[in-house]
């Protein structure tokens, strides 16, 4: 019922006064049920003076050259949102939701700027708090808004504003996000199946609390054992040695491991020999590496996860501020919480109790599938932050719950990206239209957002997408990313730098994981 209450005032105004369409100023003010449009600006870029608002937090806007209406508002006082509405002649009749990663608190101007240029009306939310709110996790409402409510409510507000501004609703709604934004995409799919027709969720971390426990535990373990603490150079040495040992297994020696599951590298080979000091690990560091890449044990030695895939590096140094906030503020509401008291099992239980919807691993997605929804999950094999194994395991659980892999593939696809780090970066081809990536407008073969659009609107499921590796903005090589459980296999004769020399084929290692 909440969705109807929130949308009704705006929708009613839209249909009662269609003459107001295209009038930015008509969107100003209170809309009902806590939605307040606080600022509306008609943007008319001129040559040499594009629209490019500044924002902290890594979501820098691209230069926007199209005229638009910029709507800034709040919901329930604390949830900030923005909607960018291209003028009617440039609108493609679609709404795009742009997710925000990390601890949020900012707007995703990167995807808004990029996609509004393609004709999308687009919405983003700060998830219910500002970056300057240092202890927002101590607020139960802010936690719930971050977990799932803010994205949903901002979507409803945006749909109503779209209908009012254009005097007609959007034909379709799509969502694009990576990391925390990918998790937001999964929550939309799981909790609010009516919000979006198509969802692209990158590196979503389906069970983020457990991954957070892993990161916290091993960061603290290294802090307590400084002789074994691994530096960025140590991780680079491990990554390189793994790639050198396993790169050629896919038939191409290119610095990228197509499928890490085929790799059997033994870290013990990195032990420093007498007199050696570079590109090797001391005994304490080797012991630490072995512990980190293996399954994380609970206090009784029972595995809590499956460990890391070969060659995956992790973040060196002390626990990140976000990890500390999760327990100091979200769980214990104590800014002086002593991280030395951290306990893997009990603190995981407490995190799940304090933020029960931070998990995005529900397999109850039948309503989304029943209404014709389509989703693509993408995941970098070498992601050091949101590790790949749990994403694959979640997809398998989804398949089991939906009647098997073939049935699930009719609505949800997983695409593993060889050599890609967190959302982008790494040695692999990492640009394919994902969140904050280079885009290919209207090209379903090269842009994952347009691929899900093609699936929804033209009924063409994505079998493969061509990804590009860029260096200084110029293409270096291209590679296919395939629908799980397929991987790109070289034809043995073509140019190894071109995706056309590869074909997606069933990968037995993926099929049996």
């Amino acid at each position: 019922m909440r969705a109807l209450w929130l949308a009704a005032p705006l929708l009613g105004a839209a249909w009662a006064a269609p003459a107001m369409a295209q009038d930015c100023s008509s969107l100003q003010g209170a809309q009902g049920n806590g939605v307040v449009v606080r600022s509306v600006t008609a943007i008319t870029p001129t040559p040499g003076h594009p629209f490019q608002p500044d924002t902290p937090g890594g979501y820098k806007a691209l230069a926007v050259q199209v005229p638009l209406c910029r709507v800034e508002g709040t919901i329930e006082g604390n949830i900030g949102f923005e909607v960018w509405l291209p003028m009617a002649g440039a609108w493609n009749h679609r709404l795009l939701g742009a997710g925000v990663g990390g601890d949020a608190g900012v707007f995703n101007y990167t995807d808004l700027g990029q996609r509004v240029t393609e004709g999308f009306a687009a919405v983003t939310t700060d998830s219910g708090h500002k970056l300057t709110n240092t202890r927002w996790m101590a607020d139960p409402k802010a936690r719930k808004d971050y977990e799932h409510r803010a994205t949903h409510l901002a979507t409803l507000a945006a749909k109503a504003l779209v209908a009012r501004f254009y005097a007609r609703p959007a034909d379709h709604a799509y969502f694009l996000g990576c990391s925390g934004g990918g998790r937001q995409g999964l929550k939309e799919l799981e909790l609010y199946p009516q919000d979006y027709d198509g969802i692209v969720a990158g590196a979503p971390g389906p069970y983020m609390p457990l991954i957070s426990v892993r990161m916290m535990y091993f960061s603290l373990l290294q802090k307590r054992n400084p002789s074994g603490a691994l530096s960025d150079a140590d991780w680079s040495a491990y990554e390189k040695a793994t790639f050198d040992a396993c790169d050629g297994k896919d038939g191409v020696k290119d610095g990228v491991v197509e499928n890490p599951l085929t790799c059997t590298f033994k870290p013990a080979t990195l032990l420093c020999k007498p007199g050696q000091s570079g590109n090797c690990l001391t005994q304490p560091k080797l012991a630490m590496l072995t512990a980190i890449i293996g399954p994380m044990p609970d206090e009784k030695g029972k595995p809590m996860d499956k460990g890391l895939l070969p060659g995956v590096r992790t973040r060196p140094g002390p626990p990140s501020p976000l990890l500390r906030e999760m327990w100091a503020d979200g769980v214990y509401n104590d800014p002086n919480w002593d991280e030395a008291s951290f306990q893997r099992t009990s603190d995981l239980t407490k995190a799940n109790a304090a933020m029960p919807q931070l998990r995005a691993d529900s397999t109850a997605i039948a309503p989304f599938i029943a209404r014709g929804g389509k989703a693509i999950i993408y995941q970098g094999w070498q992601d050091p932050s949101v590790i790949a194994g749990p994403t694959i395991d979640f997809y398998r659980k989804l398949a089991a719950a939906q009647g098997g892999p073939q049935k699930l593939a009719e609505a949800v696809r997983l695409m593993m990206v060889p050599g890609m780090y967190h959302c982008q970066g790494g040695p692999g081809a990492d640009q394919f239209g994902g969140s904050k990536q280079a885009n290919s407008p209207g090209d379903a073969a090269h842009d994952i957002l347009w691929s899900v659009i093609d699936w929804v609107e033209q009924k063409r499921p994505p079998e493969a997408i061509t990804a590009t590796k860029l260096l200084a903005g110029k293409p270096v090589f291209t590679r296919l990313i395939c629908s799980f459980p397929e991987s790109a296999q070289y034809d043995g004769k073509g140019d190894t730098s071109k995706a056309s020399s590869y074909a997606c084929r069933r990968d037995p290692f993926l099929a049996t994981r």
Side-chain angles (χ1 to χ4, degrees):
M1 290 300 294
R2 184 174 185 81
L4 295 177
W5 296 341
L6 182 65
L10 285 170
L11 286 172
W15 298 116
M20 298 297 288
Q22 292 294 286
D23 180 5
C24 285
S25 63
S26 70
L27 304 179
Q28 182 87 32
Q31 312 294 331
N33 273 18
V35 179
V36 179
V37 172
R38 302 189 179 277
S39 175
V40 182
T41 310
I43 306 293
T44 307
T46 58
H49 297 85
F51 173 55
Q52 195 169 12
D54 187 31
T55 184
Y59 286 95
K60 182 179 179 180
L62 305 179
V64 177
Q65 301 288 356
V66 300
L68 59 93
C69 181
R70 180 189 188 185
V71 180
E72 301 171 76
T74 59
I75 304 170
E76 300 176 348
N78 66 300
I79 301 171
F81 73 93
E82 286 203 26
V83 182
W84 293 4
L85 303 164
M87 293 307 170
W91 185 40
N92 65 17
H93 298 168
R94 301 180 179 96
L95 172 67
L96 176 70
V100 177
D103 56 352
V106 297
F107 298 120
N108 184 348
Y109 287 160
T110 307
D111 289 334
L112 256 65
Q114 190 158 260
R115 300 300 182 170
V116 76
T117 302
E118 298 179 28
F120 291 89
V123 59
T124 182
T125 174
D126 59 14
S127 298
H129 63 275
K130 297 292 183 285
L131 198 62
T132 53
N133 300 144
T134 55
R135 297 200 64 232
W136 65 269
M137 277 196 183
D139 180 355
K141 182 183 186 305
R143 291 199 302 269
K144 290 180 181 178
D145 293 339
Y146 175 80
E147 290 173 63
H148 64 98
R149 293 183 72 252
T151 303
H152 172 58
L153 296 179
T155 299
L156 296 181
K159 285 186 173 183
L161 287 164
V162 163
R164 181 170 181 175
F165 186 66
Y166 299 111
R168 54 158 294 178
D171 290 340
H172 294 285
Y174 298 96
F175 187 90
L176 174 67
C178 193
S179 188
R183 188 194 65 82
Q184 290 170 348
L186 288 189
K187 296 305 292 187
E188 284 292 307
L189 184 155
E190 295 164 6
L191 296 181
Y192 308 108
Q194 298 292 330
D195 281 0
Y196 291 99
D197 303 301
I199 292 172
V200 179
Y207 192 2
M208 202 60 215
L210 180 58
I211 295 177
S212 298
V213 168
R214 160 175 272 277
M215 290 190 287
M216 176 66 94
Y217 170 66
F218 284 115
S219 290
L220 293 175
L221 187 64
Q222 292 176 85
K223 186 176 180 180
R224 290 193 293 265
N225 298 276
S227 65
L230 297 165
S231 67
D232 192 59
D234 295 328
W235 282 111
S236 293
Y238 166 64
E239 179 186 55
K240 183 180 184 303
T242 305
F243 284 8
D244 287 346
C246 302
D247 182 12
K249 288 181 178 291
D250 57 6
V252 179
K253 197 78 172 176
D254 58 357
V256 179
V257 178
E258 175 68 24
N259 179 357
L261 294 176
T262 65
C263 185
T264 55
F265 176 73
K266 296 181 179 180
T269 60
L270 286 171
L271 181 63
C272 292
K273 298 177 176 60
Q276 185 181 6
S277 60
N279 296 317
C280 65
L281 299 178
T282 63
Q283 184 60 56
K285 288 191 173 187
L286 178 61
M288 184 65 71
L289 173 68
T290 302
I292 293 175
I293 65 177
M296 174 179 63
D298 66 10
E299 287 75 11
K300 296 181 179 180
K302 182 180 178 181
M304 298 180 72
D305 64 13
K306 296 180 180 179
L308 304 182
L309 295 168
V312 174
R313 58 194 299 153
T314 67
R315 180 184 180 275
S320 71
L322 179 58
L323 286 176
R324 177 175 172 78
E325 291 166 10
M326 186 171 177
W327 277 279
D329 298 334
V331 172
Y332 292 104
N333 192 16
D334 178 6
N336 298 314
W337 174 70
D338 183 4
E339 62 187 27
S341 67
F342 181 77
Q343 296 291 317
R344 285 148 284 171
T345 304
S346 62
D347 279 317
L348 174 61
T349 299
K350 291 174 182 177
N352 282 328
M355 293 166 277
Q357 292 295 338
L358 191 60
R359 297 178 66 160
D361 57 352
S362 171
T363 60
I365 63 170
F368 179 78
I369 295 175
R371 67 175 294 268
K374 308 297 181 186
I376 303 175
I377 302 170
Y378 66 92
Q379 171 73 54
W381 273 114
Q382 304 302 140
D383 194 328
S385 299
V386 178
I387 54 179
T391 301
I392 297 175
D393 292 341
F394 169 64
Y395 189 72
R396 290 197 176 283
K397 292 176 182 176
L398 275 181
Q402 309 311 318
Q406 291 183 333
K407 191 67 176 176
L408 176 63
E410 294 175 3
V412 183
R413 298 284 177 105
L414 169 63
M415 292 188 152
M416 301 299 298
V417 188
M420 189 174 82
Y421 291 163
H422 188 53
C423 297
Q424 58 183 309
D430 64 335
Q431 300 298 306
F432 47 87
S435 182
K436 296 180 67 178
Q437 295 182 7
N439 60 327
S440 299
D443 186 352
H446 294 81
D447 190 306
I448 198 166
L449 174 60
W450 284 97
S451 184
V452 83
I453 291 172
D454 197 49
W455 195 4
V456 169
E457 298 179 18
Q458 304 301 324
K459 313 303 181 186
R460 289 190 289 254
E463 303 300 338
I465 297 173
T466 298
T468 302
K469 184 66 178 180
L470 298 176
L471 185 61
K474 296 181 179 180
V476 178
F477 63 87
T478 58
R479 196 72 86 243
L480 292 181
I481 54 176
C482 307
S483 289
F484 189 91
E486 295 186 342
S487 63
Q489 298 183 29
Y490 177 51
D491 66 9
K493 56 184 179 181
D495 186 339
T496 58
S497 69
K498 295 182 178 179
S500 57
S501 300
Y502 300 79
C504 290
R505 295 193 177 93
R506 183 177 176 81
D507 189 321
F509 285 92
L510 296 182
T512 58
R513 174 178 162 82

